Amino acid sequence: MFFSKSKNVVGLDIGSSAVKLVELKEKKGGSYSLVKLGSERLSPEAIVDGSIMDSSMVVDTIQRLNTDQSVKNSNYATSLSGHSVIIKKITLPSMSPEELAESIQWEAEQYIPFDINDVNLDYVPLSHGSGDNIDVILVAVKKEKINDYTSVISRAGKLPVLVDVDAFALQNCYEVNYELEDGKVLALVNVGASVSNVNVLSGGTSMFWRDITFGGNQYTDAIQRELSLSFDQAEDLKRGTPVGEFTVQQVIPILNSVSEDFAGELRKTLDFFTATSGADRVDEIVLAGGGSGVLNLDAILRDKFGISVSIIDPFRKITVDESLFHPEELAEIAPSMAIAVGLAMRKLGDA
């Protein structure tokens, strides 16, 4: 695979509610153009709480996306989140890169709640802290979880060359499309179907990560329960499509109630961040993911937190050929494509 002419990778976000695919082409100066884009909904039984329950259905979905988008590139990147992923910032005595590489596994054993032999480890040295210390981001993911996700890509006829973490893929997407301000504390919140990933940045440095077991499915479940509808009918209403005699106006109070609950969960998470990090505030919340477009969610969060709340545009600085990608259709699905975009910015051979 290291002799491939194509150094870019296809970003494949295998989510609980949909599989999203993005391929980009890097241009001179580090900018990007959009080459391939696709998204297909998954049955709610296919992936439950981040675990692939029906791998054949996921493989079929990936293959359909590959065929529909005529994807030639074989190199795929995907990402994970949830209980099988542990991210910790640890402080170690200053040491050379070689010494750090030798000692990281032993150091990690003190922080990882799994058997060290059952996980894949990675780490990123940040910057030297006070005195003789160095801060390191430590990432551990259960091998079983990695194998589940890479195997469906392999069975779909592609090469899984890179596995990232959802929170970092979203950060990658944001940093390419937006300017980072020194000292500004920013919460990136990816609202998935079953889990929401929170990544708090200060400047360009990641400071805090947490997954909240709350997402778009809560809205669908509430609509199903209140209006006695099927899952698919509730999904359509949530997305703004009238169903039979039910109008979108009828579900707004239900959506608002769930958004209030989500705001409460996010408040606990960000309060914990400020209590433990030394930061006294969060300046802005940026929403991404399929659940970010729920009617009034951004307004409710803006009201509850009293700070700027926006929805990410993952194609803000990416060149898009409007003859190939319809602007209105792209705008509608854009927030749900952010992680796939962040993955597509990676390169073959990246650590």
Side-chain angles (χ1 to χ4, degrees):
M1 68 183 184
F2 294 105
F3 298 99
S4 167
K5 291 180 182 177
S6 177
K7 292 185 178 179
N8 66 310
V9 298
V10 178
L12 191 73
D13 177 11
I14 305 173
S16 296
S17 66
V19 178
K20 284 86 69 178
L21 178 151
V22 171
E23 184 176 9
L24 303 173
K25 181 179 180 181
E26 188 171 10
K27 304 189 293 182
K28 286 183 180 178
S31 60
Y32 294 89
S33 59
L34 182 61
V35 177
K36 303 288 184 185
L37 176 81
S39 177
E40 185 167 334
R41 281 165 71 170
L42 275 176
S43 163
E45 294 84 31
I47 298 177
V48 178
D49 294 331
S51 297
I52 297 177
M53 310 303 288
D54 189 337
S55 60
S56 295
M57 185 184 294
V58 178
V59 170
D60 290 346
T61 302
I62 296 170
Q63 287 177 327
R64 275 196 302 275
L65 278 171
N66 287 330
T67 302
D68 291 347
Q69 306 307 321
S70 302
V71 180
K72 302 291 191 291
N73 194 341
S74 294
N75 301 311
Y76 273 47
T78 193
S79 58
L80 306 171
S81 64
H83 303 304
S84 298
V85 179
I86 301 294
I87 308 172
K88 299 269 189 186
K89 185 166 81 170
I90 63 175
T91 302
L92 301 175
S94 287
M95 60 185 78
S96 70
E98 294 76 19
E99 290 171 324
L100 182 60
E102 287 181 12
S103 63
I104 194 68
Q105 181 146 335
W106 179 83
E107 297 286 356
E109 288 185 13
Q110 304 173 64
Y111 299 96
I112 303 302
F114 310 132
D115 186 323
I116 205 73
N117 297 310
D118 294 338
V119 301
N120 279 10
L121 278 177
D122 202 358
Y123 63 95
V124 180
L126 289 176
S127 56
H128 286 272
S130 56
D132 300 321
N133 296 325
I134 184 171
D135 290 330
V136 177
I137 296 178
L138 183 68
V139 182
V141 184
K142 281 193 171 181
K143 291 177 181 177
E144 180 183 16
K145 175 103 167 182
I146 293 173
N147 291 339
D148 284 348
Y149 277 72
T150 56
S151 70
V152 293
I153 295 173
S154 298
R155 286 168 56 193
K158 299 295 183 178
L159 292 172
V161 296
L162 192 150
V163 178
D164 204 341
V165 173
D166 288 352
F168 295 147
L170 177 57
Q171 179 180 346
N172 202 22
C173 174
Y174 183 85
E175 289 179 353
V176 166
N177 283 289
Y178 295 84
E179 302 300 323
L180 293 168
E181 299 176 30
D182 287 342
K184 183 176 183 179
V185 180
L186 177 78
L188 299 177
V189 182
N190 180 60
V191 187
S194 57
V195 173
S196 295
N197 322 113
V198 180
N199 182 3
V200 182
L201 312 179
S202 179
T205 304
S206 216
M207 300 176 68
F208 176 85
W209 318 266
R210 177 154 292 186
D211 286 345
I212 305 173
T213 310
F214 200 113
N217 287 346
Q218 265 82 358
Y219 293 95
T220 309
D221 292 346
I223 294 169
Q224 274 188 277
R225 192 169 54 247
E226 293 290 329
L227 303 180
S228 300
L229 296 173
S230 70
F231 179 89
D232 287 339
Q233 289 173 320
E235 274 287 301
D236 286 341
L237 269 172
K238 181 180 77 174
R239 295 167 189 270
T241 303
V243 173
E245 63 191 39
F246 297 104
T247 66
V248 176
Q249 290 298 119
Q250 287 173 273
V251 301
I252 289 176
I254 303 171
L255 298 178
N256 288 351
S257 175
V258 178
S259 290
E260 296 271 354
D261 292 341
F262 178 70
E265 290 299 313
L266 185 58
R267 167 69 72 189
K268 289 180 202 171
T269 296
L270 296 183
D271 282 351
F272 183 79
F273 158 71
T274 54
T276 57
S277 68
D280 59 357
R281 74 200 186 284
V282 172
D283 297 311
E284 183 179 359
I285 295 170
V286 177
L287 300 174
S292 64
V294 168
L295 201 61
N296 296 337
L297 174 59
D298 55 342
I300 287 170
L301 293 177
R302 203 174 291 122
D303 179 62
K304 293 292 182 185
F305 287 87
I307 59 176
S308 173
V309 178
S310 60
I311 298 176
I312 196 169
D313 176 4
F315 304 107
R316 185 168 177 260
K317 289 190 176 180
I318 291 174
T319 303
V320 177
D321 184 341
E322 293 187 359
S323 68
L324 299 175
F325 306 99
H326 194 279
E328 288 183 8
E329 293 175 4
L330 187 64
E332 186 177 336
I333 66 168
S336 67
M337 307 302 290
I339 286 177
V341 169
L343 290 169
M345 289 168 177
R346 299 291 300 272
K347 292 285 181 293
L348 189 64
D350 279 358

Coordinates of all heavy atoms in Angstrom, one line a residue, residues 85-118:
V85 N -13.0 3.7 23.8 CA -12.0 4.6 23.5 C -11.7 5.4 24.7 O -12.6 6.0 25.4 CB -12.4 5.6 22.4 CG1 -11.3 6.7 22.1 CG2 -12.8 4.8 21.1
I86 N -10.4 5.5 25.1 CA -10.0 6.2 26.3 C -9.0 7.3 25.8 O -8.0 7.0 25.1 CB -9.3 5.3 27.3 CG1 -10.2 4.2 27.8 CG2 -8.8 6.2 28.5 CD1 -11.4 4.7 28.6
I87 N -9.2 8.6 26.2 CA -8.3 9.7 25.9 C -8.0 10.3 27.2 O -8.8 10.7 28.0 CB -8.9 10.7 25.0 CG1 -9.5 10.1 23.7 CG2 -7.9 11.8 24.6 CD1 -10.3 11.0 22.8
K88 N -6.7 10.4 27.5 CA -6.2 11.1 28.8 C -5.1 12.0 28.5 O -4.2 11.7 27.6 CB -5.7 10.0 29.7 CG -6.7 8.9 30.2 CD -7.4 9.4 31.4 CE -8.2 8.2 32.0 NZ -9.1 8.7 33.1
K89 N -5.1 13.1 29.2 CA -3.9 14.0 29.1 C -3.1 13.7 30.4 O -3.6 13.8 31.5 CB -4.2 15.5 29.1 CG -3.0 16.3 28.9 CD -3.3 17.8 28.5 CE -3.7 18.6 29.7 NZ -3.8 20.0 29.3
I90 N -1.9 13.2 30.2 CA -1.0 12.9 31.4 C 0.2 13.7 31.4 O 0.6 14.3 30.4 CB -0.6 11.4 31.4 CG1 0.2 11.0 30.1 CG2 -1.9 10.5 31.4 CD1 0.7 9.6 30.1
T91 N 0.8 13.9 32.6 CA 2.0 14.7 32.8 C 3.1 13.8 33.2 O 3.0 13.0 34.2 CB 1.8 15.8 33.8 OG1 0.7 16.6 33.4 CG2 3.0 16.6 34.0
L92 N 4.2 13.8 32.4 CA 5.3 12.9 32.7 C 6.6 13.8 32.9 O 6.7 14.9 32.4 CB 5.6 12.0 31.5 CG 4.4 11.0 31.1 CD1 4.7 10.3 29.9 CD2 4.1 10.1 32.3
P93 N 7.6 13.2 33.5 CA 8.9 13.9 33.6 C 9.4 14.1 32.1 O 9.2 13.3 31.3 CB 9.8 12.9 34.4 CG 8.9 12.0 35.1 CD 7.6 11.9 34.2
S94 N 10.1 15.2 31.9 CA 10.7 15.5 30.6 C 11.6 14.4 30.2 O 12.4 13.9 31.0 CB 11.4 16.8 30.6 OG 10.5 17.9 30.6
M95 N 11.5 14.0 28.9 CA 12.4 12.9 28.4 C 12.5 13.1 26.9 O 11.7 13.8 26.3 CB 11.9 11.5 28.8 CG 10.5 11.2 28.3 SD 9.9 9.6 28.9 CE 9.3 10.0 30.5
S96 N 13.5 12.4 26.3 CA 13.7 12.5 24.9 C 12.6 11.7 24.2 O 11.9 10.8 24.8 CB 15.0 11.9 24.5 OG 15.0 10.5 24.7
P97 N 12.3 12.0 22.9 CA 11.3 11.2 22.2 C 11.5 9.7 22.2 O 10.6 8.9 22.3 CB 11.4 11.8 20.7 CG 11.9 13.2 20.9 CD 12.9 13.1 22.1
E98 N 12.8 9.3 22.2 CA 13.1 7.9 22.2 C 12.8 7.3 23.6 O 12.2 6.2 23.6 CB 14.6 7.7 21.9 CG 15.1 8.1 20.5 CD 15.2 9.6 20.3 OE1 15.3 10.3 21.3 OE2 15.2 10.0 19.2
E99 N 13.1 8.0 24.6 CA 12.7 7.5 26.0 C 11.2 7.5 26.2 O 10.7 6.5 26.8 CB 13.4 8.5 27.0 CG 14.9 8.4 27.1 CD 15.4 9.5 28.0 OE1 14.9 10.6 28.0 OE2 16.4 9.2 28.7
L100 N 10.5 8.4 25.6 CA 9.1 8.5 25.7 C 8.5 7.2 25.0 O 7.6 6.6 25.5 CB 8.5 9.8 25.1 CG 7.0 9.9 25.2 CD1 6.5 9.9 26.7 CD2 6.6 11.3 24.6
A101 N 9.0 7.0 23.8 CA 8.5 5.8 23.0 C 8.7 4.5 23.8 O 7.8 3.6 23.8 CB 9.2 5.8 21.7
E102 N 9.8 4.4 24.5 CA 10.1 3.2 25.3 C 9.3 3.0 26.5 O 8.9 1.9 26.9 CB 11.6 3.2 25.6 CG 12.5 2.9 24.5 CD 14.0 2.9 24.9 OE1 14.2 2.8 26.1 OE2 14.9 2.9 24.0
S103 N 8.9 4.2 27.1 CA 8.3 4.1 28.5 C 6.8 4.3 28.4 O 6.1 4.0 29.4 CB 8.9 5.2 29.4 OG 8.6 6.5 28.9
I104 N 6.2 4.6 27.2 CA 4.8 5.0 27.2 C 3.9 3.9 27.6 O 2.9 4.1 28.2 CB 4.4 5.6 25.8 CG1 3.1 6.3 25.9 CG2 4.4 4.6 24.7 CD1 3.1 7.6 26.7
Q105 N 4.2 2.6 27.2 CA 3.3 1.5 27.5 C 3.2 1.3 29.0 O 2.1 1.1 29.5 CB 3.8 0.3 26.8 CG 2.8 -0.9 27.1 CD 2.7 -1.9 25.9 OE1 2.9 -1.5 24.8 NE2 2.4 -3.1 26.2
W106 N 4.4 1.4 29.7 CA 4.4 1.2 31.1 C 3.6 2.3 31.8 O 2.8 2.1 32.7 CB 5.8 1.2 31.6 CG 5.9 1.0 33.1 CD1 5.8 -0.1 33.8 CD2 6.0 2.1 34.1 NE1 5.9 0.1 35.2 CE2 6.0 1.5 35.4 CE3 6.2 3.5 34.0 CZ2 6.1 2.2 36.5 CZ3 6.3 4.2 35.1 CH2 6.2 3.6 36.4
E107 N 3.8 3.6 31.3 CA 3.1 4.7 31.9 C 1.6 4.6 31.6 O 0.8 4.9 32.5 CB 3.6 6.0 31.2 CG 5.1 6.4 31.5 CD 5.3 6.9 32.9 OE1 4.4 7.0 33.7 OE2 6.5 7.1 33.2
A108 N 1.2 4.1 30.5 CA -0.2 4.0 30.1 C -0.9 3.0 31.0 O -2.1 3.2 31.3 CB -0.3 3.6 28.6
E109 N -0.2 2.0 31.5 CA -0.9 1.0 32.3 C -1.5 1.6 33.5 O -2.5 1.1 34.1 CB 0.1 -0.1 32.7 CG 0.5 -1.0 31.5 CD 1.4 -2.2 32.0 OE1 1.5 -2.4 33.2 OE2 2.0 -2.8 31.1
Q110 N -1.0 2.7 34.0 CA -1.5 3.4 35.2 C -2.8 4.1 34.9 O -3.5 4.5 35.9 CB -0.4 4.3 35.8 CG 0.9 3.7 36.0 CD 1.9 4.7 36.4 OE1 1.8 5.4 37.4 NE2 3.0 4.9 35.6
Y111 N -3.1 4.4 33.7 CA -4.2 5.3 33.3 C -5.3 4.6 32.6 O -6.4 5.1 32.4 CB -3.7 6.5 32.5 CG -2.7 7.4 33.2 CD1 -1.3 7.2 33.1 CD2 -3.1 8.4 34.1 CE1 -0.4 8.0 33.7 CE2 -2.2 9.1 34.8 CZ -0.9 8.9 34.6 OH 0.0 9.7 35.2
I112 N -5.0 3.4 32.0 CA -6.0 2.8 31.1 C -6.8 1.7 31.9 O -6.1 0.8 32.5 CB -5.3 2.1 29.9 CG1 -4.5 3.2 29.1 CG2 -6.3 1.4 29.0 CD1 -5.3 4.3 28.6
P113 N -8.1 1.8 31.9 CA -8.9 0.8 32.7 C -9.1 -0.6 32.1 O -9.9 -1.3 32.5 CB -10.2 1.5 32.9 CG -10.4 2.4 31.7 CD -9.0 2.8 31.3
F114 N -8.3 -0.8 31.0 CA -8.4 -2.1 30.3 C -7.1 -2.8 30.4 O -6.0 -2.2 30.7 CB -8.7 -1.9 28.8 CG -9.9 -1.1 28.5 CD1 -9.8 0.0 27.6 CD2 -11.1 -1.2 29.1 CE1 -10.9 0.8 27.3 CE2 -12.2 -0.5 28.9 CZ -12.1 0.6 27.9
D115 N -7.0 -4.1 30.2 CA -5.8 -4.8 30.0 C -5.0 -4.2 28.9 O -5.5 -4.1 27.8 CB -6.1 -6.3 29.8 CG -4.8 -7.2 29.8 OD1 -3.7 -6.7 29.3 OD2 -4.9 -8.3 30.2
I116 N -3.7 -3.8 29.2 CA -2.9 -3.1 28.2 C -2.7 -4.0 26.9 O -2.5 -3.4 25.8 CB -1.6 -2.7 28.8 CG1 -1.0 -1.5 28.1 CG2 -0.6 -3.9 28.9 CD1 -1.7 -0.2 28.3
N117 N -2.8 -5.3 27.1 CA -2.6 -6.2 25.9 C -3.9 -6.2 25.0 O -3.8 -6.7 23.9 CB -2.3 -7.6 26.4 CG -1.0 -7.7 27.1 OD1 0.0 -7.2 26.7 ND2 -1.0 -8.3 28.3
D118 N -5.0 -5.7 25.5 CA -6.2 -5.7 24.7 C -6.5 -4.4 24.0 O -7.5 -4.2 23.4 CB -7.4 -5.9 25.7 CG -7.4 -7.3 26.3 OD1 -6.7 -8.2 25.7 OD2 -8.0 -7.5 27.3

